[in-house]
Amino acid sequence: MVKENIDKAIKATYFSIIGNTLLALFKGAAGFFGNSYALIADAIESTTDIFSSILVLFGIKYSTRPADENHPYGHGRAEALITFIVVGFLITAATVIAYESIVNIQTPHDLPKSWTLIVLGAIIIWKEISFRLVLKRSKETNSSALKADAWHHRSDAITSIAAFIGISIALFCGKGYESADDWAALFASGFIIYNSYLIFRPALGEIMDEHLYDDVVEDIREASVKVKGILGTEKCFVRKTGMVYHIELHAIVNANITVKEGHKLAHELEDYLRKQITGVGRVLIHIEPDDYS
């Protein structure tokens, strides 16, 4: 299952790289010939998306390397570190867009061409489809880096929506409103920074081993008592590294069984959890007697 998730994540990343490359060229050309600074800003954002998607690809491939003597829990934390870098790209893109927008607001220029609205409409639809596809893959694979890549698509769609609104205002209101699409691009940069925080926060929690996985803990507790001989559970800790969950669980058993029987139950419980819960990495089972006080 983990291998299947890795393949899904890698394919989704290649999809992002190819799509962002084509869009950056398309939007840059449309912005230049259509006299739209918002579209040119949009193209800049897509260009940063290309490099961030390449980083995500590197992070996924590196984070899925097997555990070794120096990294007994594997290399999964590399994915969260890559997520930080991707967030940096997002913030950089938002800053560039904001700066260019402010400069263009102060610079007299002609109205955008009306056909740029058609271009933007197509871009918005494509980027929203891309967002939903990559986000779905990020949920299936538990990949924080892939989630960041998905939100790159959404931020691109937001920028394009803002540009669409700005150009529409400029064209409808006419002379004196030439900078409406620049104001729209400036507004969109704020959305991108906000989304950057939403991506950054879970990745930080992963690095800090913050307790963020109540749903996984609940699944573990429900699955555990289905194993014959396991009477209940006590402490349950879950940490996420990359696409896998590492579990530490205290399982309650009959106090009168032998050490050998308790050891056998622990292995049976570990095997059952791996079958029932997607993305389980290392599992540490601590046996507790039911009459312990």
Side-chain angles (χ1 to χ4, degrees):
M1 182 63 72
V2 174
K3 176 64 168 62
E4 182 182 339
N5 286 345
I6 295 169
D7 291 340
K8 284 182 180 179
I10 290 174
K11 287 179 181 178
T13 309
Y14 278 126
F15 169 81
S16 293
I17 292 171
I18 295 170
N20 287 328
T21 301
L22 294 175
L23 275 179
L25 294 171
F26 182 59
K27 287 191 285 191
F32 178 79
F33 292 107
N35 197 35
S36 171
Y37 287 94
L39 256 177
I40 293 173
D42 216 0
I44 293 171
E45 209 268 337
S46 288
T47 303
T48 65
D49 286 353
I50 298 169
F51 294 105
S52 67
S53 293
I54 291 172
L55 276 174
V56 169
L57 179 63
F58 169 78
I60 290 172
K61 288 189 174 183
Y62 185 85
S63 67
T64 53
R65 292 172 63 180
D68 55 35
E69 184 177 348
N70 294 325
H71 305 87
Y73 285 94
H75 300 76
R77 290 288 168 82
E79 192 185 12
L81 294 174
I82 290 296
T83 302
F84 293 157
I85 299 174
V86 172
V87 167
F89 270 100
L90 269 173
I91 294 173
T92 301
T95 303
V96 170
I97 290 171
Y99 174 78
E100 291 294 330
S101 298
I102 292 170
V103 171
N104 292 330
I105 288 170
Q106 299 172 344
T107 305
H109 55 81
D110 296 329
L111 287 168
K113 303 295 183 183
S114 58
W115 55 262
T116 57
L117 291 175
I118 300 174
V119 173
L120 280 166
I123 290 170
I124 291 166
I125 293 171
W126 174 251
K127 293 305 286 187
E128 184 62 21
I129 291 172
S130 300
F131 165 73
R132 292 178 183 274
L133 176 63
V134 179
L135 186 66
K136 180 182 178 184
R137 291 291 182 265
S138 75
K139 291 178 179 178
E140 291 173 350
T141 59
N142 293 318
S143 171
S144 60
L146 204 57
K147 182 179 179 181
D149 202 36
W151 275 100
H152 254 300
H153 290 296
R154 172 54 68 83
S155 68
D156 212 0
I158 290 170
T159 308
S160 297
I161 290 171
F164 187 94
I165 294 171
I167 291 172
S168 297
I169 292 172
L171 291 173
F172 181 78
C173 296
K175 191 170 180 60
Y177 288 83
E178 293 89 350
S179 62
D181 67 329
D182 302 312
W183 282 104
L186 181 61
F187 185 69
S189 66
F191 274 101
I192 295 172
I193 291 175
Y194 174 69
N195 286 330
S196 299
Y197 170 76
L198 295 181
I199 299 164
F200 172 81
R201 187 64 187 83
L204 178 63
E206 185 175 324
I207 287 289
M208 298 297 292
D209 282 334
E210 187 176 352
H211 179 68
L212 299 170
Y213 312 108
D214 285 328
D215 54 335
V216 179
V217 170
E218 186 62 29
D219 290 342
I220 291 168
R221 294 192 187 281
E222 290 179 1
S224 296
V225 294
K226 293 179 182 179
V227 176
K228 186 177 180 180
I230 302 297
L231 306 180
T233 57
E234 285 190 343
K235 297 175 183 176
C236 182
F237 303 116
V238 175
R239 67 173 66 177
K240 181 175 177 288
T241 59
M243 299 183 203
V244 300
Y245 297 109
H246 299 305
I247 300 168
E248 180 183 332
L249 177 67
H250 290 216
I252 302 171
V253 301
N254 189 306
N256 297 315
I257 65 175
T258 65
V259 172
K260 184 176 182 179
E261 289 172 324
H263 178 75
K264 181 173 179 291
L265 271 177
H267 276 286
E268 289 176 356
L269 176 55
E270 178 182 347
D271 292 341
Y272 187 74
L273 291 176
R274 290 184 186 279
K275 290 178 182 177
Q276 295 300 312
I277 300 174
T278 303
V280 172
R282 293 174 67 95
V283 181
L284 175 63
I285 307 294
H286 177 80
I287 296 297
E288 298 274 8
D290 61 346
D291 64 352
Y292 181 77
S293 60

